[in-house]
């Protein structure tokens, strides 16, 4: 059964597979990233694309549309200054300045509720153009 809870501020449901796909990324490391989109007809957030563990950050950013909004999670692996292997999960709210006003509003009003579905997110990045999500931004946040 699909989760269709709604509240006054946001009519977007969250498809069950969003949560299960996120858990595969978080716990099993099956995915490097997951990109989610709002399906306006179904009025819910759905998984649009996943990237395998070998995919790079460039593969991830190249998968985001240039002119439409998306949510995404990215599992960022890095080595600390003490030489420890770590990983942090980033949540992205991608809202390019050239996307439709309606899309920007939909994504903005649904974001908090959608993000609450996921435990274990370490950082959130809101980006309106690719420079706001350079790999350096992740490195700075994670260290």
């Amino acid at each position: 059964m699909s989760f269709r809870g709604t509240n006054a501020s946001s009519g977007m449901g969250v498809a069950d597979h969003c949560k299960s796909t996120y858990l595969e990324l978080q716990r099993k490391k099956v995915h490097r990233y997951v990109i989610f989109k709002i399906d306006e007809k179904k009025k819910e957030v759905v998984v649009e694309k996943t990237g395998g563990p070998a995919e790079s950050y460039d593969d991830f950013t190249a998968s985001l549309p240039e002119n439409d909004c998306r949510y995404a999670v990215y599992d960022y692996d890095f080595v600390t200054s003490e030489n420890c292997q770590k990983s942090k999960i980033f949540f992205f709210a991608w809202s390019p300045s050239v996307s439709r006003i309606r899309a920007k509003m939909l994504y903005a009003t649904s974001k908090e509720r959608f993000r609450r579905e996921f435990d274990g997110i370490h950082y959130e990045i809101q980006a309106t153009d690719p420079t706001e999500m350079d790999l350096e931004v992740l490195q700075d946040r994670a260290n």
Side-chain angles (χ1 to χ4, degrees), residues 22-121:
Y22 171 74
L23 290 173
E24 289 171 353
L25 172 140
Q26 182 192 30
R27 300 200 178 134
K28 301 184 183 139
K29 306 282 187 194
V30 177
H31 313 295
R32 170 66 54 204
Y33 61 85
V34 184
I35 296 173
F36 305 94
K37 75 178 218 175
I38 291 178
D39 183 325
E40 291 186 45
K41 287 186 184 67
K42 290 184 181 167
K43 290 217 182 317
E44 68 179 4
V45 182
V46 297
V47 173
E48 179 178 52
K49 181 178 198 262
T50 57
E55 288 202 44
S56 70
Y57 190 68
D58 287 340
D59 296 328
F60 163 65
T61 55
S63 299
L64 292 168
E66 282 176 36
N67 57 2
D68 200 5
C69 305
R70 291 293 183 271
Y71 301 127
V73 287
Y74 183 84
D75 187 7
Y76 174 61
D77 290 333
F78 62 102
V79 177
T80 66
S81 50
E82 295 84 46
N83 221 11
C84 294
Q85 186 69 45
K86 286 210 163 166
S87 120
K88 297 279 184 195
I89 296 174
F90 281 79
F91 177 88
F92 291 87
W94 171 243
S95 184
S97 38
V98 293
S99 48
R100 293 173 308 139
I101 303 272
R102 176 170 165 73
K104 287 187 216 177
M105 287 179 59
L106 261 179
Y107 278 81
T109 55
S110 305
K111 179 180 71 102
E112 279 314 308
R113 171 144 182 265
F114 179 66
R115 200 191 148 191
R116 277 201 305 269
E117 297 284 320
F118 305 127
D119 294 327
I121 287 174

Side-chain angles (χ1 to χ4, degrees), residues 6-26:
T6 56
N7 63 32
S9 66
S10 143
M12 288 300 143
V14 178
D16 290 337
H17 68 279
C18 288
K19 210 158 182 181
S20 57
T21 306
Y22 171 74
L23 290 173
E24 289 171 353
L25 172 140
Q26 182 192 30

